[in-house]
Amino acid sequence: MVTVQQPIVKFWGTRGSLPVSGAAHVKYGGNTSCVEIGLSRESGQFVIIDAGSGLHALGNSLEESKGQDYHICLSHFHLDHLIGIPFFAPLFQAGCAVHFHTIIEDAPDGFEPILDKLMATPFFPIQSDVFQAEVHFHSHASTSQIDLGEIKLTTCPIPHPGGAHAYRVSTGDMDVVYATDTEHEPGTLNTKLVDFSQAADLMLYDCTYDDNEFMDKKGFGHSTWQEALRLAQAAQVKNLAIYHHDPSRSDVQLDEIEKKAQLIFENSFVAADNQLFVLDSRN
Ligand SMILES: [Zn+2]
Ligand SMILES: [Zn+2]
């Protein structure tokens, strides 16, 4: 009998900008950007998008790393998307390999010098030469397909200070668009992103702000949950994950946002750390 593997998305970090903790952040969690998308742990058929503080728990959840290859695709290099790397357990295990994938436009010299900077004195006590895993760096052109066997990714540049890329991950029957961090132009939909996200099963989008606070945050590089709804509807995505929450957003505020968003688009939800999204076969 052939076992049909259900594609999944596991949210390991849904916060933006800064990890947070405390009584106001229990339900949605406080780890920064990190998601796992794929088929199964056993088959090794999954990819990690972004390496925020959520990567720490993801790494600790991997029971046996020996002989495994892990693929981490980075949207860009702001600290909230990288800070989990020095805490990713497989990097300290001989016999496994960690592959970093980045886009040439965002990192013309590749990711290795950026990783070295992240862990350089005086910012970090140990340097990347302590890693025992094999570390590989892959630089891709913005328009190329990244082929990881059962998982295939395409990318799309999105406006953000210093550059960033969205990923569209195809695995099994599921297509997931990961689009953070990005700032929109009020009144103008990002048509490139709409085309890129067309009919995806799930879209994760930068929902740092509310439309009402956006004008005070212009130039910070982020977008709003209302813009996420407009994009999701224009692209006819099936489900929308409100993602990259502002560090000061409380659980109560995020509940409110979810209620308002679902009045406009029923299949939207505020993503929470440790949440598992399984594509509903009815969708
Ligand atoms: Zn960010
Ligand atoms: Zn950023």
Side-chain angles (χ1 to χ4, degrees):
M1 196 177 89
V2 178
T3 312
V4 178
Q5 290 184 340
Q6 185 87 320
I8 59 112
V9 178
K10 173 99 187 236
F11 295 91
W12 291 95
T14 56
R15 195 66 54 172
S17 310
L18 184 75
V20 289
S21 65
H25 307 294
V26 173
K27 180 173 174 185
Y28 293 100
N31 276 321
T32 62
S33 305
C34 181
V35 297
E36 171 187 341
I37 303 172
L39 291 176
S40 78
R41 283 287 178 86
E42 298 72 36
S43 63
Q45 293 168 11
F46 67 93
V47 64
I48 299 162
I49 313 286
D50 273 345
S53 65
L55 185 67
H56 175 233
L58 192 168
N60 290 349
S61 76
L62 299 165
E63 281 161 22
E64 181 55 70
S65 293
K66 213 168 160 53
Q68 281 272 19
D69 277 40
Y70 299 102
H71 293 271
I72 301 177
C73 297
L74 298 169
S75 63
H76 66 305
F77 314 113
H78 289 154
L79 282 176
D80 54 323
H81 299 255
L82 300 185
I83 199 64
I85 292 173
F87 304 93
F88 185 50
L91 282 168
F92 297 87
Q93 292 166 18
C96 67
V98 179
H99 301 259
F100 290 102
H101 298 266
T102 56
I103 308 301
I104 295 166
E105 283 174 29
D106 299 339
D109 298 326
F111 183 57
E112 191 167 9
I114 297 172
L115 179 62
D116 285 344
K117 252 189 216 172
L118 176 76
M119 297 181 70
T121 307
F123 304 115
F124 217 75
I126 52 167
Q127 277 63 61
S128 57
D129 57 5
V130 302
F131 295 151
Q132 292 183 42
E134 276 180 39
V135 182
H136 301 276
F137 301 93
H138 306 270
S139 215
H140 304 275
S142 181
T143 49
S144 65
Q145 188 186 63
I146 304 172
D147 189 342
L148 303 178
E150 293 296 313
I151 299 173
K152 299 196 176 5
L153 304 97
T154 51
T155 64
C156 173
I158 46 177
H160 191 59
H165 274 77
Y167 286 94
R168 183 170 179 133
V169 186
S170 304
T171 178
D173 292 332
M174 182 171 71
D175 267 36
V176 179
V177 169
Y178 179 98
T180 199
D181 301 12
T182 187
E183 180 166 336
H184 67 280
E185 196 54 56
T188 312
L189 274 188
N190 181 341
T191 49
K192 255 192 195 167
L193 185 58
V194 169
D195 291 346
F196 181 74
S197 309
Q198 208 53 238
D201 297 295
L202 174 67
M203 179 191 209
L204 288 74
Y205 185 74
D206 181 344
C207 296
T208 306
Y209 305 125
D210 185 287
D211 272 356
N212 295 324
E213 56 198 4
F214 181 71
M215 291 318 280
D216 291 337
K217 307 284 187 181
K218 268 198 86 63
F220 283 31
H222 297 291
S223 191
T224 70
W225 61 268
Q226 290 97 334
E227 186 70 8
L229 293 172
R230 293 187 279 267
L231 286 165
Q233 291 186 312
Q236 297 185 298
V237 305
K238 294 175 187 132
N239 298 277
L240 171 71
I242 293 171
Y243 187 70
H244 200 276
H245 317 311
D246 186 277
S248 57
R249 281 275 190 268
S250 67
D251 288 341
V252 173
Q253 290 172 318
L254 288 169
D255 278 343
E256 277 299 309
I257 288 171
E258 185 174 75
K259 254 191 237 158
K260 288 191 226 165
Q262 287 177 347
L263 290 176
I264 300 164
F265 181 44
E266 199 185 345
N267 286 0
S268 57
F269 61 94
V270 173
D273 291 5
N274 302 313
Q275 184 175 0
L276 187 67
F277 174 90
V278 181
L279 187 63
D280 190 321
S281 53
R282 291 168 304 174
N283 283 330

